[in-house]
Amino acid sequence: MDKFISDFGIQPILLLAQIVNFAILLFLLKKFLYGPITKVLDKRRDTIEESLKNAEAIEIKLAKTEEEYQKRIDKASKESRDMIEETSKATSQMMSDAKAQATAEMQDILKKGQESIQMERQKMQQEMRSELTQLVINTLEQVTGKVI
């Protein structure tokens, strides 16, 4: 084995010193470089996981908000359709009531007009009878010469 070590030019003291140096370097790197880097990476991983959880929560809230918004839109749409239908019915009812009232008033006016015409006619007939009677009496008086 000595020959093997001498053939390759390995010096045991230098090899031992290099091993010690490597161990010290490994310890220092682990303590001052690897440890803080892993802490930063762990912190970053935790932050990313928390951000993903928050994003999922926000997505769920957004979905609920959209669903609630759609429900409110549907409700408002239904209420507006109901109001339009109700208004349409009320307008139709008012128009038919106004038409019926106008028809009733027109019939009343026609009836009063017919009654007025009938009364005028009776009055004229009465006047004509009275005049005719007076005319007959006057004519008879003139023909007979006597007062009747």
Side-chain angles (χ1 to χ4, degrees):
M1 177 105 158
D2 276 339
K3 185 176 182 201
F4 177 75
I5 291 176
S6 64
D7 283 344
F8 280 106
I10 299 175
Q11 296 177 1
I13 295 177
L14 285 176
L15 181 63
L16 185 62
Q18 285 180 350
I19 290 173
V20 169
N21 283 339
F22 182 73
I24 292 172
L25 181 65
L26 188 64
F27 173 76
L28 290 175
L29 286 175
K30 186 175 182 183
K31 175 121 178 133
F32 295 110
L33 190 64
Y34 182 71
I37 288 177
T38 54
K39 285 181 184 177
V40 168
L41 290 176
D42 288 342
K43 207 179 218 185
R44 185 170 183 142
R45 184 178 350 105
D46 292 343
T47 305
I48 290 171
E49 286 176 3
E50 187 178 329
S51 296
L52 288 174
K53 287 178 185 177
N54 288 341
E56 288 176 9
I58 289 171
E59 242 179 77
I60 291 170
K61 283 183 180 179
L62 178 64
K64 287 180 181 179
T65 303
E66 285 179 1
E67 184 178 322
E68 185 178 320
Y69 173 76
Q70 190 61 39
K71 284 180 182 178
R72 286 184 181 180
I73 291 287
D74 292 343
K75 183 180 177 183
S77 178
K78 184 181 182 295
E79 286 177 358
S80 65
R81 279 192 303 261
D82 291 347
M83 287 175 65
I84 289 171
E85 185 177 313
E86 194 174 300
T87 304
S88 176
K89 284 179 183 177
T91 304
S92 177
Q93 182 65 33
M94 286 174 63
M95 287 180 68
S96 53
D97 289 348
K99 186 177 180 181
Q101 184 179 0
T103 303
E105 287 177 3
M106 186 174 68
Q107 288 176 349
D108 189 40
I109 290 171
L110 285 173
K111 188 175 180 181
K112 285 180 180 178
Q114 286 175 348
E115 287 175 0
S116 175
I117 290 172
Q118 188 70 14
M119 286 175 56
E120 284 291 322
R121 188 174 178 191
Q122 288 175 357
K123 187 177 176 184
M124 285 177 64
Q125 284 177 350
Q126 188 69 25
E127 285 178 9
M128 284 183 68
R129 281 185 188 150
S130 172
E131 284 182 25
L132 186 61
T133 306
Q134 191 62 38
L135 187 62
V136 168
I137 291 175
N138 287 341
T139 307
L140 279 176
E141 281 179 0
Q142 286 178 0
V143 171
T144 58
K146 294 183 182 176
V147 177
I148 298 179

